[in-house]
Amino acid sequence: MLKFVTAVVVILNFTACTFFDSNKKTEAIARVNSDYLYAADIANLVPPGISKEDSIVIVRSFIDRWASKKLLIKVAEVNLKRDKKAEFDTLIQQYKIDLYTKAYLEEIVKRTTDTVISETELRDYYKENKENFKTNGTLVRLRYISLQKDNPKVELIKSKFFDFRKSDKKFWDTYTLQLNSFALNDSIWTELSQVYDKLRFITPDNRDSYILPGKTIQKIEDKNVYFVKISNVIDKNQVAPYQYLKPTLREVILNKRKLELIKKFEKEITDDAIKDKKYEVYK
């Protein structure tokens, strides 16, 4: 099958340090037809500290794979039908164009896009487009704590938790060390799936009993007691709240700016080409 291909692979008896010798950059170590592999091509192939024997195995394996690829591409070029090769050549050329232009535009966008987005702009965009941002699942605002049920301060902690006050910050700074787990910031919207992970006694089957706005929960599980306060709930397919959407809104506005910048740049470069008579359309 490969009679028309002549391949000669020569492994020179290098020591490990030979592979890293900068003076050997032009010295060929293998050949397949008119393609050569040089010592410089494998200069960083062998990790430091590898024995000479292992180095030879690594290098030989690499060279064999290199030779196989060279031989296979030659066989493919000879045996593939002309129309199939033409199709692949078109795809390769298009891929090159897409890769170059995408990389160049990304650099342009990176250097020139204004990334500062004001709170006013975010809120205005939310007001104008909020109907387009519906929840995929239930969102919950809550706070909770979990601690050993035999904790001597359990009643005090319970009282402070349900009568939650900003003035109790020092108290919580002290007593959170005694908690198994906690989340005291109930201004953050959380997906219900995360609630299931943190509060295992709440499940999809019983969620309607627990996940209710204003609901207070005291639950004993084994040696632990949970105190939970549900502040608010938004069900699936409802308009998502601003604070929950804020990071997404920022990305949407940035992407919108980038697309507008790309369109502007493409128009400018086309207009300049027409002006300089580098681009013409013949009727």
Side-chain angles (χ1 to χ4, degrees):
M1 177 181 179
L2 301 178
K3 288 182 179 180
F4 62 92
V5 178
T6 301
V8 178
V9 179
V10 180
I11 307 295
L12 300 180
N13 188 22
F14 291 136
T15 60
C17 63
T18 304
F19 297 130
F20 305 102
D21 188 347
S22 61
N23 295 324
K24 298 290 183 180
K25 288 183 178 178
T26 60
E27 188 169 1
I29 59 173
R31 178 179 70 82
V32 171
N33 295 315
S34 59
D35 293 318
Y36 289 84
L37 184 68
Y38 298 96
D41 296 328
I42 61 171
N44 299 314
L45 181 63
V46 181
I50 299 295
S51 68
K52 178 180 176 180
E53 291 75 16
D54 289 340
S55 297
I56 292 173
V57 171
I58 292 170
V59 172
R60 180 55 191 261
S61 177
F62 177 86
I63 295 173
D64 286 344
R65 290 196 305 273
W66 172 84
S68 294
K69 289 179 181 178
K70 292 295 182 183
L71 293 167
L72 283 170
I73 188 64
K74 178 61 69 174
V75 173
E77 287 174 346
V78 170
N79 289 281
L80 280 175
K81 292 181 179 180
R82 184 177 299 176
D83 58 344
K84 181 61 70 174
K85 288 196 292 182
E87 178 185 342
F88 288 149
D89 288 342
T90 301
L91 290 173
I92 291 167
Q93 182 61 28
Q94 187 59 52
Y95 179 70
K96 179 182 177 180
I97 292 170
D98 293 343
L99 197 63
Y100 277 40
T101 54
K102 182 175 183 291
Y104 180 63
L105 287 173
E106 284 178 351
E107 282 299 314
I108 295 293
V109 166
K110 185 177 179 180
R111 292 201 304 263
T112 57
T113 300
D114 180 7
T115 59
V116 177
I117 303 174
S118 67
E119 182 72 15
T120 300
E121 186 175 1
L122 285 168
R123 289 190 177 277
D124 287 346
Y125 190 86
Y126 174 72
K127 289 177 184 177
E128 293 171 6
N129 300 278
K130 62 182 180 181
E131 291 299 326
N132 297 325
F133 296 100
K134 298 294 181 71
T135 55
N136 293 323
T138 300
L139 299 178
V140 183
R141 278 173 45 199
L142 80 165
R143 65 178 185 270
Y144 81 92
I145 58 175
S146 168
L147 68 158
Q148 295 281 330
K149 66 182 181 182
D150 58 359
N151 187 301
K153 299 290 185 179
V154 66
E155 289 300 322
L156 174 63
I157 293 172
K158 172 185 173 182
S159 175
K160 290 288 187 180
F161 176 81
F162 286 119
D163 185 24
F164 202 74
R165 298 181 183 181
K166 291 183 179 179
S167 58
D168 289 333
K169 183 178 183 304
K170 288 185 177 180
F171 172 87
W172 291 113
D173 288 343
T174 300
Y175 280 91
T176 49
L177 298 174
Q178 300 182 26
L179 304 179
N180 297 329
S181 62
F182 65 93
L184 296 174
N185 186 355
D186 60 0
S187 66
I188 298 174
W189 288 97
T190 303
E191 295 178 3
L192 187 55
S193 59
Q194 294 178 318
V195 176
Y196 294 149
D197 288 340
K198 297 295 183 181
L199 305 174
R200 294 302 180 92
F201 62 89
I202 300 178
T203 68
D205 292 333
N206 65 22
R207 57 145 285 180
D208 291 341
S209 300
Y210 289 111
I211 306 301
L212 299 168
K215 178 80 172 181
T216 59
I217 303 167
Q218 178 177 331
K219 181 73 173 179
I220 296 176
E221 287 278 297
D222 297 326
K223 296 180 180 180
N224 301 319
V225 59
Y226 293 85
F227 301 124
V228 186
K229 172 68 176 182
I230 308 292
S231 299
N232 207 348
V233 180
I234 294 180
D235 286 321
K236 185 178 180 179
N237 293 326
Q238 301 300 310
V239 174
Y242 170 74
Q243 288 298 333
Y244 178 77
L245 280 177
K246 193 172 179 179
T248 301
L249 295 174
R250 186 178 298 278
E251 288 301 314
V252 169
I253 292 173
L254 275 178
N255 287 334
K256 186 170 177 286
R257 287 182 183 178
K258 290 175 182 178
L259 289 174
E260 289 172 351
L261 183 64
I262 289 172
K263 284 185 179 180
K264 180 182 177 183
F265 179 74
E266 289 175 341
K267 185 178 186 306
E268 287 178 351
I269 199 172
T270 303
D271 290 345
D272 288 345
I274 293 172
K275 181 180 177 181
D276 296 338
K277 300 194 181 301
K278 295 179 179 178
Y279 168 43
E280 295 178 318
V281 177
Y282 302 114
K283 296 182 179 179

